[in-house]
Amino acid sequence: MKIALDPYMLRRVPLLELPRTVAGLGYHHIELSPRDDFLPFFLHPRVDKAGVAAFRKALTEAEVTVASVLPLYRWSGPDEDERQAAVRYWKRAIEITVDLGVDVMNSEFNGRPEHAAESEAQFWRSMEELLPVFEREGVRLVLEPHPDDFIEDGIEAVNLIRGINSDLVSFLYCCPHTFHQGGNLAEIIRYAGPLLTQLHLADSFDFRASSGLRYIVNPPGSAARIHQHLDIGQGEVDWDLFFTTLADVGFDGIATVCVFAWEERAEDSARFNLSEITRYTEKIAT
């Protein structure tokens, strides 16, 4: 298992200093998530060839690799102009990924849950344009269902990915989305089988608990999705079951620490979660 760090809480660290900072926290791999000077959220990439080359050099010097590149674009949104723009952004992001020497990208389905059918149709339009690019460049795409996407349930997401029918497209299980995916952690992991190639590791509380009153959102009836990305052990994800199930299915992909809740102690959080992953994997191994 390749353990990576999503450095979003460290996004104010200058880009060329980031690899050395990550290495100092004990990580050898990065999942490169959106940042304003590289791949911003929902906008065209900002980095040029010189910037990519300089970042690649800094990675080499720090003995850190990019395990995966994570862009987020509105490629499934019901607005066709936004979808076409997102496809253009994706094409540039793929080019950057290849220039970095990376062959894995991961992202979310996006779209709107209240317009699920229309959003899925837009997703397929985007895939028709982008899948040939992924195939030409030899880049794998790993997809996750996200709260407030057109597809949120884990089993349904695996089924949709199977429908893409490409060896290059696989499934990401995101632990802090466990309760929005259906709460059936082990079932989803086993159902995905070899399609499961990537993980996001962080904790969260079950919003469905206390008769749906774990979180009280006003006005009543709001469609807001609430979840956290906490340190392992701070929420209600069953980590013993999670790591045991991973061992049972022989998972050997990318596992990314994706904690966002503690920017005031970002480095301590990164160290703690790495030690917890090590502890759980050693416990299961024995």
Side-chain angles (χ1 to χ4, degrees), residues 1-5 22-29 201 231-232 243 255-259 266-282:
M1 186 165 65
K2 182 183 290 186
I3 302 172
L5 177 68
V22 168
L25 297 173
Y27 292 81
H28 302 290
H29 309 285
L201 306 183
D231 286 342
I232 291 172
F243 281 103
T256 304
V257 173
C258 267
V259 173
E267 294 192 0
D268 287 341
S269 173
R271 291 189 186 96
F272 171 79
N273 287 290
L274 181 58
S275 69
E276 283 296 277
I277 295 167
T278 302
R279 183 176 69 84
Y280 272 106
T281 53
E282 290 177 349

Side-chain angles (χ1 to χ4, degrees), residues 68 75 90 94 102-107 127 130-143 161-162 164-172 194-198:
S68 180
W75 60 333
W90 260 110
I94 295 169
V102 180
D103 63 359
V104 181
M105 301 181 79
N106 62 288
S107 193
M127 287 301 296
L130 290 170
L131 191 55
V133 183
F134 284 108
E135 291 172 342
R136 184 183 72 233
E137 300 296 345
V139 174
R140 294 194 294 111
L141 173 64
V142 194
L143 295 172
I161 290 168
R162 286 199 175 114
I164 296 171
N165 194 32
S166 171
D167 291 340
L168 288 178
V169 186
S170 56
F171 175 69
L172 185 154
L195 276 181
L196 177 65
T197 63
Q198 197 159 348

Side-chain angles (χ1 to χ4, degrees), residues 104-138:
V104 181
M105 301 181 79
N106 62 288
S107 193
E108 301 165 7
F109 286 107
N110 205 256
R112 298 300 315 144
E114 68 272 18
H115 298 289
E118 297 94 325
S119 294
E120 180 171 336
Q122 295 288 74
F123 171 78
W124 288 111
R125 289 190 182 99
S126 296
M127 287 301 296
E128 286 170 3
E129 295 182 58
L130 290 170
L131 191 55
V133 183
F134 284 108
E135 291 172 342
R136 184 183 72 233
E137 300 296 345

Side-chain angles (χ1 to χ4, degrees), residues 223-241:
R225 272 68 163 172
I226 300 175
H227 69 284
Q228 307 88 4
H229 284 243
L230 304 169
D231 286 342
I232 291 172
Q234 291 183 326
E236 295 174 307
V237 173
D238 188 336
W239 292 103
D240 283 310
L241 176 63

Side-chain angles (χ1 to χ4, degrees), residues 187-252:
E187 179 187 356
I188 294 170
I189 290 173
R190 294 182 188 281
Y191 187 74
L195 276 181
L196 177 65
T197 63
Q198 197 159 348
L199 309 166
H200 280 170
L201 306 183
D203 216 333
S204 190
F205 287 104
D206 188 348
F207 71 96
R208 306 166 302 172
S210 297
S211 303
L213 295 175
R214 174 61 60 80
Y215 307 109
I216 298 173
V217 181
N218 291 314
S222 170
R225 272 68 163 172
I226 300 175
H227 69 284
Q228 307 88 4
H229 284 243
L230 304 169
D231 286 342
I232 291 172
Q234 291 183 326
E236 295 174 307
V237 173
D238 188 336
W239 292 103
D240 283 310
L241 176 63
F242 174 73
F243 281 103
T244 298
T245 306
L246 289 183
D248 289 345
V249 301
F251 177 80
D252 191 30

Side-chain angles (χ1 to χ4, degrees), residues 13-34:
V13 174
L15 181 66
L16 300 186
E17 295 178 16
L18 184 62
R20 186 175 67 235
T21 300
V22 168
L25 297 173
Y27 292 81
H28 302 290
H29 309 285
I30 295 173
E31 180 176 305
L32 190 59
S33 57

